[in-house]
Amino acid sequence: MIRLNLILFALTIAMALGVVTAQYKARKLYFELDRQEMLTKQYMTEYDQLQIEQSTWAMHSRLEEFATTRLHMHSPSMQQTQVILLDAPAAP
């Protein structure tokens, strides 16, 4: 009877340690999940800001201003423009 009690006691201790270990791992994984979700939110915010910045840099008025001020470009005059007409493809 004493042997059975010792075996059951050891089994109970082993099960208790297993429960504690499982709870610790679950808690650790939950905190890691929470941290990853926070990082995801930060990255999404940064991505949205970068998209806004990209659209600002690519605006037509900004490109035109850059071309005229820094690159000294201008629109061609009518004398400098040539229109090239392509022949219409023949119908089969």
Side-chain angles (χ1 to χ4, degrees), residues 56-75:
T56 301
W57 282 99
M59 287 176 53
H60 179 72
S61 59
R62 177 155 174 72
L63 293 176
E64 188 173 348
E65 177 188 345
F66 182 80
T68 56
T69 58
R70 288 228 177 135
L71 301 177
H72 306 291
M73 297 175 82
H74 61 280
S75 298

Side-chain angles (χ1 to χ4, degrees), residues 23-87:
Q23 286 180 342
Y24 172 75
K25 286 181 180 179
R27 192 172 290 125
K28 189 175 175 182
L29 288 173
Y30 178 76
F31 286 133
E32 180 65 23
L33 175 66
D34 192 39
R35 189 176 73 82
Q36 292 297 326
E37 286 176 348
M38 277 188 358
L39 282 174
T40 300
K41 288 178 185 177
Q42 289 175 353
Y43 290 145
M44 290 302 291
T45 303
E46 184 180 352
Y47 178 72
D48 291 341
Q49 290 172 350
L50 289 173
Q51 279 187 320
I52 292 170
E53 184 178 342
Q54 181 184 19
S55 66
T56 301
W57 282 99
M59 287 176 53
H60 179 72
S61 59
R62 177 155 174 72
L63 293 176
E64 188 173 348
E65 177 188 345
F66 182 80
T68 56
T69 58
R70 288 228 177 135
L71 301 177
H72 306 291
M73 297 175 82
H74 61 280
S75 298
S77 65
M78 290 300 286
Q79 291 82 15
Q80 295 173 326
T81 305
Q82 292 182 350
V83 178
I84 300 173
L85 298 176
L86 297 176
D87 292 333

Side-chain angles (χ1 to χ4, degrees), residues 1-7:
M1 185 74 170
I2 293 176
R3 183 179 282 180
L4 180 62
N5 284 342
L6 288 176
I7 291 173

